[in-house]
Amino acid sequence: EVQLQASGGGLVQAGGALRLSCAASGRTFGDYSFGWFRQVLGREREAISSIAGSGGTPFYIDSVKGRFTTSSDSAKRTVYLQIGDLKPEDTGVYYCAATKGFTAQWNWNLVSHYDYWGQGTLVTVSS
């Protein structure tokens, strides 16, 4: 089992930047892949990105490419989501999730693909 702790959210002005962290404890970090999801009140949880704990090329949804960067640090057992040029529509609760093994193009963005979830961290972007 993997326990996830997300942090780094806050209130920022549009155009600013944030780095979210997801610290993982439990099983071997490199055996898992991690996803970042965002949920806005009243809407379904939306996949943002995914990366293997061992590193490699992340997956992103098209709408965040160029502004969001996902990375993993196996030594720190932490996955990061760097968000630049924040927009009001980026407001929401950001969750990290984990699944054993690798994600693929056809499943990385599926909520059902992930078995472990962190508690979420709130990002609020003011205009």
Side-chain angles (χ1 to χ4, degrees):
E1 185 174 339
V2 174
Q3 294 81 41
L4 304 172
Q5 180 73 38
S7 62
L11 173 63
V12 295
Q13 289 189 331
L18 277 177
R19 188 178 76 163
L20 307 183
S21 300
C22 177
S25 60
R27 297 292 186 175
T28 306
F29 184 82
D31 288 347
Y32 289 79
S33 292
F34 299 86
W36 284 100
F37 289 75
R38 174 175 63 202
Q39 188 163 24
V40 177
L41 188 64
R43 297 176 62 179
E44 292 185 356
R45 197 166 292 188
E46 173 189 40
I48 299 296
S49 67
S50 179
I51 190 169
S54 57
T57 303
F59 294 105
Y60 297 98
I61 57 171
D62 288 344
S63 61
V64 305
K65 287 180 180 178
R67 293 195 302 120
F68 287 44
T69 303
T70 292
S71 60
S72 67
D73 186 332
S74 58
K76 295 183 178 179
R77 302 175 61 86
T78 300
V79 177
Y80 301 98
L81 183 65
Q82 180 75 40
I83 310 173
D85 188 23
L86 278 156
K87 304 178 185 300
E89 53 265 37
D90 294 324
T91 294
V93 178
Y94 285 71
Y95 296 90
C96 62
T99 185
K100 192 169 185 181
F102 293 96
T103 53
Q105 184 68 39
W106 65 273
N107 66 8
W108 74 268
N109 59 338
L110 301 177
V111 170
S112 60
H113 183 60
Y114 296 86
D115 301 308
Y116 308 99
W117 291 83
Q119 84 289 0
T121 184
L122 176 62
V123 173
T124 304
V125 183
S126 62
S127 57

